[in-house]
Amino acid sequence: MPDSSHRLPALLKFAYRRVALFILFPILSLGYPSLSRFAVAQSNFSQANIADLSLEELMNIEVTSVSRRTERLSEAAASIFVISSEDIRRSGATTLPEILRLAPNLQVARIDTVQYAITARGFNNTIGNKLLVLLDGRTIYTPMFSGVFWEMQDTVIEDIDRVEVISGPGATLWGANAVNGVINIITKETSDTQGVLTAVDVGDYERGATFRKGGITGNDIAFRFYGKFREFDNTILTDGSDVRNDWKRGQIGFRAGWTRGRQDFTIQGDAYKGESEHRGFVGPIEIPAVKNRSLNLLGRWNRELENRSNVRLQVYWSQNERDEFILFSPKTDLFDMEFQHTSAAGRHNLVWGGGYRHASDEVSPGAFTKYIPDKRSLNWQNVYIQDEFPLSPALTATLGAKLEWNEYTGMEYLPNVRLAWNVSQNHMLWTALSRAVRAPSRFDRDVYFPEAPPFIIAGGPDFESEVAIVAETGYRAQIADFLNYSITAFYHDWDKLRSGTGLPLPAYLVNNIEGSATGLEAWANWRLLDNWVLSGGFSVLDKDLRFKTGTSDTVGVNNYTLHNDPDFQWVIRSSMNLGLNLELDLFLRGVDELTVAPVPAYTELNMRLAWKPADNIEFSITGRNLLHENHPEFGALPLRSVIQQGILLGVKWTPR
Amino acid sequence: MSQGDISEYEVKAAFLHQFAIYVEWPEETFSNPDSPLIFGILNADELADNLEQMVTDRTVKGRRILVRRLQLDTPLSGVHVLFVGGTGSAGGESMLAEASSYSILTVTETPPHPLGSVINFEIVNNKVRFDIALMPAEVGNLRISSRLLQVAQNVTN
């Protein structure tokens, strides 16, 4: 493994210069869209109810000391699973994708060292494109193919406040691409991350170190800054041979927040650099390392107005570069601005707003693909409005719509209607009907394969948006303070899914596939004893896809990007405090077989034992994938990696 | 689902109830095993209202809970938890001083943490947080569970 120590100072210097430069960038900033934007029903805990909450739950309640509304996700009429910071800590997860495994309503498959396929409600693949992912309000999917390069996404894991995972459409508030789900990763406020945190972990296949420092300036600006480094050892193939995909990455960042009267301000930014090892030679052809860089800077401004209303403005800029010899090497600049007004006057909770986004890119061809044109600028604009109001004391309705304009298909209309019925105080039945689209990405219109004529694939000049009409219904209940559960049934009626054209070549990307995805998602959380919590969940999925009458292509419906999902998956977690400041956590998961690029069904177990001799120090040992020496999760033979068993030792210390 | 908000004092009342679970009083502060646990509330009617509704039919370690609204001249004997509301002094200091001669869990909501108060609430980012001072607890012979210390924002002497 090459020595990386000489690279880190250069990275820090690079990142420092860029961040310092862009801190001068004009900042207006503001409250990012947490699910509060989505929450359709306001809470009303009775006192009896509140008295049943644990200390931690009480600490997480936002109180309305000012005019701010309190919103409880547990009362939103949607399929929402929240991963708390405590869940994250106790899972021993060290990366964002591993954290996402905790959500029963997501399908997470590890491809190799740092690449993952992640989706909700199906269509999982390496370039999955039906999920919207936000990190502190910043959209992190690439406009190149509307998917996420997961290896480029990181933050201080310990500083994550929560991850909100909605399965199902969130298009009215979040926009195109929020078709199968929204993942909202939210880090803590700077006032909650004061002091120093150092975390080091060493494992047989990965290791890393994190340093974060938080403080408050004389004029009450709470801030933090951090640096982290992580490396991953290469994976192996089924025959045991090494894949040359060692990966190293470093990231630094900061966040600052302050309140002046009724206004809140936040500025945050990160700089990231990651690269693989040199990937060797195929015959005489050298395959250089994959290299990634990204920078982002975001500002938010939040102002409370009279009459329990609120305005927010958020602006961010981000730049991503990825050098990848085989596929393609994109460089993308993104500017995004959004405005939101919420008010809770009278019986109506009204949210309206709008946004503008601009992306410009430059794509160098890879060995196999190229984009034509190789440079392109795209713009998106949207306006939306949503109202939530009671129909009767127990029944709440939500009506909303977004109009989103993109350069490829023009105006897209994204409406939704939701009903929540409080059957009794802690039991809610909800139902929703939505229309969501996945608008074309650069890939859908402009990708060519191979990178020189004669082409086999020659873009998709007529590619339109993929459209889903989604019906969902769910039931959520809290039984006393020891048991809660949620169950959701969904039906996605799909139209205009991506396909190719038939012979003769070249083929074009078109929208000739239609069909449906039907399924069930359920989870429960059961506090058996004061010191023992069991939780579990599962998802069932049945897709039925077909070509529209009279059409076909050369790969068919049963292909790798459309039809490679497990029918069934489940998770069970056990969290136990053993006394003597010991914690024991078990995380068992099962995923049914994949049939298109066949992967056998598997069951795996992670286990973590931690000792906290004092409240500011923690030692932990985490075993991953303990049931088998190795197992594959995704991909086609013969180049498919297997994921190996591993042990990780960790220390976290927050000096006083 | 009805519309509504969670007020600061609902949450503080719930915390007070939780504190009683995680604090141990000396046996002699209760006349017998099922005598009630008594909350004394000064200058905080909204909290007292919330707490009263909350603790009906609830017990802490088998004890019923009584909520008493205190005046400045109410004697403190028999009280187990004293909450002094408001950010001004309004006589609260003398009440805290008097409480130090009993085994009373004193709770305040004034920045900075007042002398003689065991637990002091603070609102941080619209969330209720609290600090714990160990010395006044020791003076009152109270035992605070480590779980409560763990979730406290700051623990000082």
Side-chain angles (χ1 to χ4, degrees):
Chain A
M1 195 178 312
D3 172 28
S4 63
S5 55
H6 64 282
R7 255 180 243 138
L8 196 56
L11 163 68
L12 292 173
K13 204 165 136 193
F14 164 76
Y16 170 76
R17 280 214 307 262
R18 299 306 290 257
V19 170
L21 179 63
F22 285 100
I23 211 156
L24 302 169
F25 195 73
I27 303 302
L28 288 167
S29 131
L30 149 119
Y32 50 87
S34 129
L35 277 184
S36 48
R37 201 156 104 162
F38 195 100
V40 275
Q42 296 287 28
S43 64
N44 189 7
F45 278 113
S46 73
Q47 280 83 2
N49 205 340
I50 268 204
D52 287 328
L53 298 181
S54 69
L55 287 167
E56 287 80 5
E57 285 166 326
L58 286 172
M59 303 198 50
N60 280 323
I61 294 182
E62 281 204 17
V63 295
T64 51
S65 52
V66 239
S67 69
R68 200 166 286 179
R69 291 153 43 186
T70 307
E71 313 194 72
R72 287 269 303 171
L73 297 181
S74 61
E75 311 213 337
S79 184
I80 296 177
F81 184 86
V82 180
I83 304 169
S84 69
S85 60
E86 183 71 357
D87 291 335
I88 294 169
R89 187 183 68 79
R90 295 192 69 136
S91 73
T94 49
T95 61
L96 294 176
E98 291 295 325
I99 290 170
L100 297 178
R101 285 192 197 273
L102 299 173
N105 52 346
L106 287 180
Q107 287 93 54
V108 177
R110 187 169 181 179
I111 297 167
D112 57 26
T113 42
V114 286
Q115 295 196 82
Y116 284 79
I118 298 176
T119 192
R121 299 187 180 176
F123 302 97
N124 209 15
N125 66 73
T126 322
I127 53 170
N129 55 21
K130 294 176 179 55
L131 206 58
L132 182 60
V133 187
L134 300 117
L135 178 51
D136 280 341
R138 178 170 53 87
T139 302
I140 58 178
Y141 72 79
T142 167
M144 300 314 299
F145 62 87
S146 297
V148 176
F149 286 119
W150 285 103
E151 76 271 22
M152 299 179 71
Q153 315 303 335
D154 201 4
T155 187
V156 174
I157 301 297
E158 291 77 7
D159 286 351
I160 297 176
D161 184 65
R162 65 190 184 279
V163 180
E164 302 168 340
V165 179
I166 312 170
S167 41
T172 299
L173 292 178
W174 307 91
N177 242 55
V179 187
N180 274 3
V182 180
I183 298 175
N184 203 10
I185 302 160
I186 297 163
T187 67
K188 293 176 182 169
E189 300 277 347
T190 43
S191 50
D192 291 336
T193 53
Q194 293 293 300
V196 169
L197 166 83
T198 51
V200 176
D201 62 80
V202 180
D204 35 9
Y205 295 107
E206 61 173 271
R207 51 211 70 82
T210 302
F211 175 85
R212 179 260 286 152
K213 181 168 168 54
I216 295 186
T217 65
N219 45 359
D220 284 332
I221 298 176
F223 65 87
R224 66 171 178 254
F225 56 85
Y226 72 89
K228 65 182 292 186
F229 178 77
R230 189 150 202 92
E231 63 177 18
F232 302 82
D233 294 350
N234 65 281
T235 51
I236 57 173
L237 300 180
T238 309
D239 65 8
S241 59
D242 283 341
V243 183
R244 303 197 57 145
N245 60 5
D246 268 14
W247 189 266
K248 289 180 182 25
R249 66 186 182 204
Q251 182 165 324
I252 58 172
F254 77 99
R255 174 167 169 168
W258 63 100
T259 300
R260 293 290 178 270
R262 303 170 74 129
Q263 304 183 79
D264 296 322
F265 300 85
T266 304
I267 300 182
Q268 60 187 89
D270 309 271
Y272 158 89
K273 194 175 183 184
E275 62 181 58
S276 74
E277 65 184 312
H278 188 280
R279 290 183 293 166
F281 292 83
V282 173
I285 303 167
E286 180 184 4
I287 307 185
V290 180
K291 290 182 183 177
N292 290 340
R293 285 173 299 284
S294 72
L295 289 170
N296 70 77
L297 188 69
L298 177 146
R300 282 191 289 274
W301 169 70
N302 194 19
R303 178 167 170 76
E304 279 168 23
L305 307 171
E306 300 302 319
N307 304 323
R308 295 154 57 82
S309 57
N310 208 49
V311 252
R312 296 162 154 183
L313 185 65
Q314 171 176 289
V315 179
Y316 66 83
W317 166 85
S318 71
Q319 183 176 73
N320 290 280
E321 280 181 74
R322 189 170 195 268
D323 295 339
E324 208 277 333
F325 175 81
I326 295 176
L327 289 175
F328 56 89
S329 299
K331 180 178 170 187
T332 317
D333 274 86
L334 202 68
F335 172 79
D336 187 291
M337 188 161 77
E338 58 175 73
F339 169 82
Q340 186 190 331
H341 183 278
T342 56
S343 62
R347 287 151 40 91
H348 292 263
N349 284 328
L350 192 67
V351 185
W352 59 272
Y356 169 76
R357 159 185 285 251
H358 174 85
S360 58
D361 64 58
E362 187 176 343
V363 193
S364 310
F368 296 118
T369 60
K370 76 184 297 183
Y371 277 60
I372 301 176
D374 63 344
K375 290 181 195 162
R376 191 152 198 169
S377 286
L378 293 171
N379 293 291
W380 295 261
Q381 287 130 45
N382 73 77
V383 288
Y384 61 91
I385 184 163
Q386 176 159 300
D387 188 18
E388 171 209 317
F389 52 94
L391 295 172
S392 76
L395 202 59
T396 304
T398 304
L399 289 173
K402 171 173 264 184
L403 291 174
E404 182 162 306
W405 183 89
N406 73 79
E407 294 193 7
Y408 289 129
T409 61
M411 197 66 82
E412 298 285 354
Y413 180 52
L414 310 165
N416 81 135
V417 51
R418 289 169 193 271
L419 273 179
W421 177 34
N422 255 28
V423 182
S424 67
Q425 191 181 303
N426 289 314
H427 294 251
M428 188 181 82
L429 180 67
W430 62 272
T431 187
L433 189 64
S434 326
R435 178 184 190 269
V437 306
R438 186 187 71 80
S441 65
R442 277 276 266 146
F443 182 92
D444 302 299
R445 287 291 181 108
D446 303 331
V447 74
Y448 284 71
F449 170 82
E451 55 77 50
F455 294 118
I456 296 171
I457 297 171
D462 300 319
F463 189 87
E464 298 172 50
S465 292
E466 300 178 326
V467 181
I469 307 288
V470 181
E472 300 169 275
T473 190
Y475 191 79
R476 255 198 313 264
Q478 166 100 37
I479 296 168
D481 63 341
F482 61 90
L483 177 66
N484 61 64
Y485 64 87
S486 167
I487 181 160
T488 304
F490 59 86
Y491 175 79
H492 289 220
D493 180 58
W494 280 103
D495 192 20
K496 301 199 284 187
L497 284 164
R498 186 168 67 207
S499 66
T501 50
L503 295 171
L505 295 175
Y508 299 95
L509 297 177
V510 289
N511 304 76
N512 284 344
I513 292 174
E514 59 184 12
S516 65
T518 313
L520 207 60
E521 297 154 341
W523 53 85
N525 206 31
W526 183 20
R527 183 176 287 275
L528 281 160
L529 297 170
D530 271 353
N531 60 348
W532 187 20
V533 178
L534 268 186
S535 54
F538 67 88
S539 65
V540 181
L541 178 69
D542 177 35
K543 292 212 310 296
D544 176 20
L545 303 178
R546 59 192 170 264
F547 275 94
K548 296 189 180 208
T549 314
T551 65
S552 68
D553 69 12
T554 52
V555 288
V557 162
N558 270 327
N559 73 60
Y560 182 77
T561 60
L562 279 181
H563 232 323
N564 203 28
D565 296 305
D567 292 338
F568 180 59
Q569 62 162 28
W570 54 272
V571 294
I572 296 175
R573 279 192 285 153
S574 157
S575 275
M576 205 185 280
N577 291 338
L578 301 176
L580 302 170
N581 301 318
L582 287 172
E583 300 170 342
L584 177 67
D585 286 87
L586 302 173
F587 177 35
L588 194 63
R589 67 183 198 275
V591 180
D592 205 358
E593 64 180 341
L594 306 182
T595 51
V596 173
V599 170
Y602 75 90
T603 303
E604 265 307 345
L605 172 71
N606 291 3
M607 197 165 143
R608 173 179 177 274
L609 182 67
W611 178 48
K612 297 180 78 173
D615 63 358
N616 65 339
I617 188 156
E618 175 192 290
F619 299 94
S620 66
I621 175 164
T622 306
R624 291 179 179 163
N625 305 315
L626 295 172
L627 301 185
H628 307 92
E629 196 179 327
N630 64 59
H631 70 279
E633 295 189 6
F634 205 83
L637 289 169
L639 294 178
R640 180 178 72 204
S641 286
V642 290
I643 308 306
Q644 290 170 276
Q645 212 167 61
I647 299 284
L648 203 67
L649 300 173
V651 183
K652 281 176 199 169
W653 182 43
T654 47
R656 289 199 218 281
Chain B
M1 193 164 306
S2 54
Q3 313 281 309
D5 298 317
I6 303 176
S7 84
E8 177 182 336
Y9 285 101
E10 280 177 77
V11 176
K12 285 182 174 174
F15 267 116
L16 279 191
H17 171 249
Q18 291 282 326
F19 293 159
I21 298 172
Y22 295 106
V23 169
E24 273 180 46
W25 281 265
E27 264 325 296
E28 63 271 18
T29 60
F30 299 97
S31 45
N32 61 60
D34 56 0
S35 56
L37 186 78
I38 298 169
F39 284 74
I41 311 294
L42 179 72
N43 295 341
D45 285 340
E46 192 189 339
L47 184 141
D49 292 343
N50 281 307
L51 191 61
E52 273 172 345
Q53 292 178 46
M54 202 175 279
V55 300
T56 330
D57 306 326
R58 273 173 203 280
T59 57
V60 169
K61 295 166 197 151
R63 297 178 192 282
R64 283 179 308 118
I65 299 167
L66 291 183
V67 179
R68 277 191 203 155
R69 288 157 207 258
L70 306 181
Q71 305 299 322
L72 275 177
D73 51 358
T74 316
L76 284 177
S77 68
V79 169
H80 298 97
V81 180
L82 170 66
F83 179 79
V84 179
T87 47
S89 57
E93 287 153 6
S94 59
M95 203 78 158
L96 286 175
E98 192 197 339
S100 64
S101 46
Y102 299 93
S103 287
I104 294 183
L105 176 69
T106 44
V107 184
T108 49
E109 53 175 0
T110 319
H113 200 139
L115 202 65
S117 151
V118 179
I119 299 182
N120 191 44
F121 283 123
E122 202 183 325
I123 304 281
V124 180
N125 294 319
N126 293 332
K127 292 174 182 169
V128 179
R129 297 287 144 90
F130 58 88
D131 295 340
I132 297 181
L134 295 173
M135 194 60 88
E138 260 170 52
V139 168
N141 247 333
L142 302 172
R143 289 188 52 189
I144 301 180
S145 123
S146 61
R147 179 152 146 69
L148 195 57
L149 296 175
Q150 270 172 22
V151 295
Q153 188 175 237
N154 291 299
V155 177
T156 58
N157 278 316

